[in-house]
Amino acid sequence: MTSIKLDGQERLWVSTRSGLFVADTKRKPIRFEPFQVPFVRGLTKTIYRVVPRADGRIWVSGTGGLGLWDGRNWIVYGTKSGLRKESIVFFAERTDREVWVGYAGVEGVSRLQLRPDFSVAETEHFNQEGTLHSNDISFVERDRGGRIWIGTAAGVDIYDGRRWRYLGTENGLIWHDCALGAFLEDSNGDVLVGTENGFSMIKDTQQRLLDSPTTPKIIGLWRNGEPQKLASLRLSSGDLRIEFANMRLNGNANFRYRLAGPDAASGLWQPISQPALHLPQPGAGQYRLEVQAPQPDGSWMGKTAVLVFEITPRYWQSWWFAALVGVGLLATVVAVWWLRERRILEASRVLEQAVADRTHDIEAQKEQIATLLEQAQQSNQLKSEFLANMSHEIRTPMNGVLGMTALALATELSGEQRDYLDTAHQSAESLLQVLNDILDFSKIEAGRLDVECVGFSVRQVVEDAARPFRFALQQKQLGFEIEVAEAVPAMLGGDPGRVRQILTNLIGNGVKFTQRGLIRVGVDLVESGEAGALLAFRVKDSGIGIAAESLPIVFEQFRQADGSTTRKFGGTGLGLAISRKLAELMGGTLSATSEVGVGSEFICALRFANTWPTAARGNSEIPGDVAALRILVAEDNEVSQRLVERLLTKRGHRVTKASNGRQAVARFAEGGIELVFMDVQMPEMNGLDAVRAIRQAESSTGRHVPIVMLTANAMEGDRERCLECGADGYLTKPVSDFQLAQAVAQFGLTRVNSKPDAAPVK
Ligand code: ADP
């Protein structure tokens, strides 16, 4: 049996696990008749509850739904009416058109609002999610005040038609778990509620219910729209929505909350009129949300719903991520630094290598240059030595040839003999000229040619230059004119020897390259001022001329205008090159104009000084008779020795001969020598050492015998070497009669103890 009820007609209704039975209690003996309930299902046809209405209708619940019997028909309410299940255990009418239904199973309760004809107007569900404290229902009853009492496994939820109340252990219930169907309201209106652990009697019901506190409850948490389990609240950040409810005011939300956590640590209560709190992307950390609902008297003294949850940090917020990033950054910095360092090192290595290579190259080049320089110096030295040797070797025999022919010409000769000797003498002189040219040229090349400044007569120089050609001119029947302009000063300062050399060259060429006509030498004053005078020497001929294209090259060394001229006219091709160089040395120029077959004109412009140092030189006259002297002639070449001896004895001097330096020193030591001519290059002891020995010997006596060196080395430097060793003067071979006589006059006269001014003799 599941329930038993007496209706207004005193019929007793009994519901059982195998159907519904009814008995009329006015008829004795009481007999129960089964009452057909067509909608019950299953084998057992369980009827859970039967409740007669005041209007005679009968409510029956069981497997298959809730039925209302009006005496003729059943109206059945089930899932088609919006109920959750067909198997209905509990039900209670709050009003005659509002029925509360509880199911077999943990489903909460449903409320049916009925129209006057008992059709369903609205079905609404109440459960743990919103209103009830548990979905596990123990009873659904109505008290006489019209309240619906819903016993659950977590106390009693009471609805008075406006709001919900709760009855739990905190406000009077002895135990939270209500016993099945354990509800009884007595005649006083006191209510007895049975629990699994005894029963409670709720007196003065109205007051208690009013006082019972409202209870907010957190009913759900959604993250990015996904519901979360409220059990384990560790979640990663996202769009959070926390929903809560007032267990007494379904749908009517009025709350306040406070949130403690890293994002909201204010701890102040915030009012909120929504049953939900929205937290967009809360930061990582622990949160504590407290929610309160207002009490019936308006205060906030009731229960507080608490939700504690933790937002786990995103990986980039975690310490290990920060550490990782730190390590990464450090690694990057180190890597960048390392790369940079490596690149710098590499660059500096490359640079160092380049510098080393370059240095090596430069060193090699320097070495090469040094070697080349040494070679050049050596070859220059060799050239100088060669020239010196050659000139010595040539000059010494030339000395003999010239001297001996001169001596021979001074003797009685037949006409034919004289002619032969004359020719020989002239040839020797030409040879000497060539030799002098070559020497001059190498001196100019080496920059060793000095230009002197003495006073000289311009006319005299021109005449001197022309003199050697008198014979040739006569032979060729050429006319010759000298025209010195009147404006040209009679005397000027310069190097007459070099001027004569240039003019000799030009006149010589003119004579050489002219077959008929005239050679004319003119001198003009181009310019005159304080600095001096600029003269133009013009040597003009009526000879073969020079082709225009050859004109520039005739001034180059060893070049001739026409290769064939060499064979026809002879020559070295040095004359013009030397002349131009000499002109330039004297601050002048040498140029030419020419027409083939008509003739050539060479113009030499030279600058001379108005003043010059007074000449310390003897004049060019052969001095008159000098007292006979005892002269030592030291010379290894027999011909030269004999020549000098003859030239000196011719003038009445007595000669003592020596063939080398040692002999010379010995002869000098024998005493009586008043003048010495000493050759430089001699075997056994050279002239320089011999002079030193003589001077050494003299130092004890205080005497000073003049010594004149004879040198074939016409190169610069010979003079210095001669004078350094203690000689008084020097002569360049081949020595002429005139030069010897002049030297004897100069040094023989000053043979007294005073040392004379050292000077070469010309
Ligand atoms: P060289 O010893 O050959 O005469 P130069 O330097 O004096 O050497 O002259 C060079 C060349 O210039 C000559 O070989 C000749 O061809 C030409 N030359 C010089 N002077 C004259 C001139 N007066 N008339 C024609 N040709 C000349």
Side-chain angles (χ1 to χ4, degrees):
M1 205 171 73
T2 50
S3 75
I4 179 163
K5 283 277 160 54
L6 198 65
D7 68 7
Q9 296 163 36
E10 292 182 24
R11 283 181 297 178
L12 192 63
W13 294 87
V14 175
S15 61
T16 72
R17 298 221 169 249
S18 53
L20 181 64
F21 299 87
V22 65
D24 188 351
T25 54
K26 289 177 282 171
R27 283 207 272 157
K28 306 287 189 253
I30 296 169
R31 272 187 71 95
F32 280 93
E33 302 286 336
F35 192 90
Q36 289 305 310
V37 182
F39 57 86
V40 285
R41 293 193 200 127
L43 285 172
T44 54
K45 315 265 189 230
T46 302
I47 306 295
Y48 288 115
R49 217 161 180 219
V50 57
V51 176
R53 276 175 60 108
D55 62 359
R57 288 184 171 83
I58 305 288
W59 286 106
V60 176
S61 72
T63 53
L66 173 68
L68 181 64
W69 172 251
D70 63 359
R72 284 194 304 272
N73 297 309
W74 287 95
I75 301 174
V76 181
Y77 307 92
T79 49
K80 287 194 183 118
S81 323
L83 296 179
R84 285 287 161 96
K85 291 176 91 176
E86 304 272 82
S87 186
I88 289 158
V89 182
F90 315 104
F91 67 89
E93 279 185 328
R94 195 178 70 78
T95 66
D96 68 345
R97 288 295 184 276
E98 182 182 325
V99 184
W100 291 75
V101 172
Y103 304 95
V106 185
E107 276 291 339
V109 297
S110 300
R111 178 174 68 181
L112 287 170
Q113 306 265 20
L114 302 178
R115 298 194 186 89
D117 65 351
F118 295 99
S119 63
V120 177
E122 193 190 329
T123 309
E124 200 181 343
H125 304 289
F126 300 86
N127 55 23
Q128 207 177 325
E129 310 291 69
T131 323
L132 302 181
H133 283 71
S134 170
N135 287 340
D136 192 356
I137 309 301
S138 301
F139 53 81
V140 177
E141 297 289 348
R142 175 183 180 268
D143 68 9
R144 70 179 73 174
R147 287 178 285 265
I148 290 293
W149 293 63
I150 300 168
T152 72
V156 186
D157 291 294
I158 301 160
Y159 183 63
D160 65 1
R162 281 196 309 124
R163 64 181 67 177
W164 288 87
R165 301 274 182 266
Y166 172 68
L167 191 61
T169 48
E170 61 264 47
N171 58 354
L173 209 59
I174 192 166
W175 189 245
H176 57 84
D177 195 355
C178 296
L180 204 64
F183 175 89
L184 182 70
E185 187 186 25
D186 68 8
S187 50
N188 298 326
D190 296 336
V191 172
L192 283 158
V193 171
T195 74
E196 295 295 325
N197 202 16
F199 67 88
S200 299
M201 175 174 272
I202 296 103
K203 292 192 167 195
D204 198 5
T205 315
Q206 184 75 18
Q207 190 54 43
R208 277 177 186 278
L209 288 173
L210 280 175
D211 285 347
S212 82
T214 55
T215 308
K217 197 171 176 212
I218 286 162
I219 57 171
L221 190 153
W222 283 261
R223 181 180 163 275
N224 295 336
E226 291 284 316
Q228 306 291 314
K229 275 190 187 155
L230 290 177
S232 61
L233 277 174
R234 272 173 62 88
L235 10 117
S236 47
S237 191
D239 197 55
L240 293 193
R241 184 179 163 80
I242 302 165
E243 292 197 355
F244 33 83
N246 185 337
M247 305 311 291
R248 292 291 163 264
L249 291 168
N250 193 30
N252 180 10
N254 212 1
F255 302 93
R256 65 175 190 172
Y257 74 95
R258 65 181 175 188
L259 183 68
D263 282 1
S266 75
L268 289 178
W269 288 102
Q270 307 282 334
I272 185 167
S273 56
Q274 298 287 322
L277 179 65
H278 183 213
L279 298 174
Q281 308 290 343
Q286 284 279 351
Y287 289 84
R288 181 184 164 86
L289 175 68
E290 293 172 281
V291 180
Q292 287 185 341
Q295 297 306 312
D297 60 3
S299 75
W300 297 94
M301 296 305 291
K303 269 184 81 177
T304 301
V306 176
L307 179 70
V308 174
F309 59 97
E310 186 187 348
I311 302 295
T312 54
R314 294 292 175 97
Y315 68 89
W316 63 78
Q317 294 166 324
S318 60
W319 67 267
W320 56 263
F321 182 78
L324 210 70
V325 166
V327 167
L329 268 173
L330 199 74
T332 309
V333 165
V334 167
V336 165
W337 174 82
W338 184 73
L339 275 174
R340 231 181 82 99
E341 204 66 0
R342 237 181 62 143
R343 215 175 310 152
I344 290 170
L345 266 173
E346 182 64 17
S348 72
R349 207 184 58 75
V350 167
L351 214 67
E352 270 168 24
Q353 188 56 46
V355 169
D357 287 353
R358 190 83 193 95
T359 310
H360 184 261
D361 285 357
I362 289 170
E363 288 296 325
Q365 278 176 3
K366 263 163 85 176
E367 256 172 51
Q368 209 177 348
I369 288 168
T371 314
L372 287 174
L373 196 71
E374 205 177 318
Q375 280 174 1
Q377 280 170 345
Q378 256 176 17
S379 66
N380 203 38
Q381 181 71 27
L382 282 175
K383 191 176 106 183
S384 301
E385 276 171 25
F386 168 75
L387 279 171
N389 288 338
M390 196 184 71
S391 65
H392 175 259
E393 291 306 318
I394 299 171
R395 271 162 195 273
T396 307
M398 284 298 294
N399 210 16
V401 174
L402 282 170
M404 289 305 172
T405 49
L407 283 173
L409 281 169
T411 59
E412 289 229 345
L413 297 167
S414 71
E416 200 182 2
Q417 284 172 330
R418 182 166 299 280
D419 195 31
Y420 294 159
L421 274 176
D422 250 345
T423 312
H425 193 79
Q426 273 170 28
S427 302
E429 270 182 341
S430 308
L431 192 58
L432 191 63
Q433 187 54 47
V434 171
L435 193 65
N436 284 339
D437 274 0
I438 293 171
L439 261 173
D440 272 353
F441 191 77
S442 44
K443 278 184 188 176
I444 291 168
E445 284 279 271
R448 287 175 174 182
L449 195 98
D450 299 324
V451 176
E452 63 178 356
C453 182
V454 296
F456 72 97
S457 153
V458 176
R459 176 168 280 278
Q460 185 67 52
V461 166
V462 177
E463 281 174 2
D464 283 353
R467 189 169 295 124
F469 305 105
R470 292 264 141 120
F471 181 69
L473 288 166
Q474 245 177 29
Q475 289 243 303
K476 285 181 127 179
Q477 295 187 328
L478 296 173
F480 185 77
E481 279 177 10
I482 295 176
E483 199 179 307
V484 180
E486 275 189 22
V488 175
M491 292 287 283
L492 281 169
D495 193 330
R498 297 302 177 190
V499 178
R500 185 170 54 230
Q501 199 176 342
I502 294 170
L503 291 175
T504 304
N505 247 316
L506 298 180
I507 297 166
N509 279 345
V511 174
K512 188 155 78 172
F513 296 109
T514 306
Q515 300 309 323
R516 72 186 72 84
L518 178 75
I519 312 289
R520 192 178 161 276
V521 182
V523 186
D524 297 317
L525 178 70
V526 180
E527 186 187 291
S528 174
E530 266 179 45
L534 180 65
L535 300 190
F537 294 84
R538 297 166 201 277
V539 179
K540 190 173 178 172
D541 62 55
S542 55
I544 60 170
I546 305 166
E549 65 271 19
S550 302
L551 206 51
I553 67 160
V554 297
F555 294 103
E556 288 174 27
Q557 62 212 48
F558 311 115
R559 294 294 289 268
Q560 296 174 328
D562 174 4
S564 64
T565 52
T566 322
R567 288 186 295 279
K568 203 164 156 193
F569 300 102
T572 56
L574 272 176
L576 288 179
I578 292 170
S579 298
R580 176 171 267 188
K581 291 223 155 112
L582 287 175
E584 284 166 358
L585 264 175
M586 289 186 281
T589 57
L590 175 63
S591 57
T593 57
S594 184
E595 203 176 318
V596 175
V598 177
S600 315
E601 184 176 30
F602 286 82
I603 304 130
C604 181
L606 296 173
R607 206 169 269 287
F608 298 103
N610 289 329
T611 56
W612 51 92
T614 42
R617 205 90 63 70
N619 61 34
S620 55
E621 295 301 309
I622 292 182
D625 280 344
V626 186
L629 299 170
R630 230 184 114 189
I631 300 173
L632 172 62
V633 175
E635 168 67 79
D636 62 323
N637 185 287
E638 221 176 297
V639 179
S640 297
Q641 197 189 61
R642 242 181 36 228
L643 174 66
V644 177
E645 184 192 7
R646 289 296 294 276
L647 290 174
L648 292 174
T649 51
K650 203 176 72 176
R651 293 186 189 274
H653 303 295
R654 283 188 295 146
V655 171
T656 304
K657 293 186 286 183
S659 301
N660 58 47
R662 201 173 304 286
Q663 276 184 20
V665 177
R667 300 276 178 282
F668 186 85
E670 286 163 11
I673 303 297
E674 292 163 299
L675 177 64
V676 182
F677 285 103
M678 179 83 77
D679 186 21
V680 175
Q681 288 180 320
M682 284 186 295
E684 285 190 54
M685 181 188 268
N686 71 33
L688 303 175
D689 289 341
V691 174
R692 283 190 200 101
I694 290 168
R695 292 287 180 245
Q696 179 71 35
E698 279 181 343
S699 61
S700 53
T701 63
R703 271 177 55 107
H704 183 98
V705 174
I707 303 175
V708 176
M709 303 303 288
L710 301 176
T711 171
N713 289 350
M715 293 300 284
E716 187 78 11
D718 287 351
R719 192 182 95 93
E720 282 74 21
R721 279 213 300 282
C722 292
L723 302 183
E724 260 169 35
C725 75
D728 301 275
Y730 72 96
L731 292 173
T732 309
K733 293 189 203 174
V735 191
S736 68
D737 182 19
F738 170 77
Q739 284 173 319
L740 266 181
Q742 220 183 20
V744 171
Q746 188 180 345
F747 294 104
L749 290 174
T750 59
R751 71 191 129 131
V752 273
N753 288 350
S754 65
K755 194 176 180 225
D757 263 358
V761 182
K762 278 219 167 170

